[in-house]
Amino acid sequence: MNFWLFKSEVSTWSWDQQVARGDAGEEWDGVRNYQARNHMRSMKLGDLGFFYHSQKEKEIVGIVEVIAESHPDSTTDDDRWDCVDIKAVRSLPKPVTLAMCKENPRLADMVLVNNTRLSVQPVTEDEWQIVLELAGDTD
DNA sequence: GCCAACGTTGGC
DNA sequence: GCCAACGTTGGC
């Protein structure tokens, strides 16, 4: 089981839209960055990820699950670009802001904090647990 | 709205 | 294969 983080601008694709898709999920298309694509290629069914709103909100708002492994991105004919499908699992009780991540010494190495431009990122298991704690998601 | 960081493109 | 120019992302 691996953990990830998916970044999206609210105006492009929001958490509300993702939730509205239900178990059908949605293709995480439109990624045109090799690093992000490579992360998606290494995802497995059942992997979990955070859903992060960039720009205005700058906070992790929910948890998603990979429901289809890497396949060609249907929004382009360019065969360089693949993507996965994800579905919303649940919203976080309290969103975890970028500022909170930056303040927490244990999250100092989180990709979110250090590489602001990468739209699909790996998250370590430790980081995953810490963020869940910050979110009050103590399941 | 600005700008830093970073990725990509294309000329040589 | 290098590197300058350019475009985009995203935090501030």
Side-chain angles (χ1 to χ4, degrees):
Chain A
M1 162 81 73
N2 285 301
F3 301 101
W4 310 95
L5 183 143
F6 298 85
K7 202 182 278 191
S8 183
E9 227 184 301
V10 174
S11 61
T12 306
W13 181 254
S14 70
W15 176 241
D16 286 346
Q17 286 174 285
Q18 184 70 49
V19 169
R21 296 287 293 141
D23 287 343
E26 184 76 14
E27 191 175 87
W28 198 259
D29 55 36
V31 172
R32 300 292 181 267
N33 173 284
Y34 291 107
Q35 269 183 280
R37 183 207 63 190
N38 290 343
H39 290 314
M40 289 199 286
R41 283 186 174 173
S42 57
M43 291 180 190
K44 300 294 180 197
L45 271 184
D47 277 0
L48 297 176
F50 288 129
F51 191 106
Y52 175 81
H53 275 158
S54 64
Q55 307 251 53
K56 189 156 174 280
E57 286 75 11
K58 285 172 300 197
E59 58 190 18
I60 298 168
V61 291
I63 295 174
V64 295
E65 178 181 341
V66 175
I67 57 168
E69 293 183 5
S70 180
H71 58 79
D73 183 332
S74 69
T75 62
T76 177
D77 289 333
D78 192 329
D79 60 12
R80 287 178 302 170
W81 305 118
D82 295 334
C83 63
V84 296
D85 293 2
I86 60 174
K87 71 168 186 181
V89 175
R90 64 178 181 272
S91 299
L92 294 180
K94 291 179 296 182
V96 176
T97 66
L98 178 62
M100 288 165 68
C101 293
K102 287 192 165 179
E103 282 167 12
N104 192 315
R106 298 182 66 199
L107 295 177
D109 292 332
M110 199 173 175
V111 180
L112 183 65
V113 172
N114 294 300
N115 187 353
T116 56
R117 295 194 54 215
L118 186 59
S119 61
V120 179
Q121 327 175 342
V123 173
T124 68
E125 189 166 0
D126 282 349
E127 290 162 355
W128 182 264
Q129 293 300 337
I130 293 165
V131 171
L132 286 183
E133 282 169 28
L134 292 175
D137 192 309
T138 51
D139 195 21

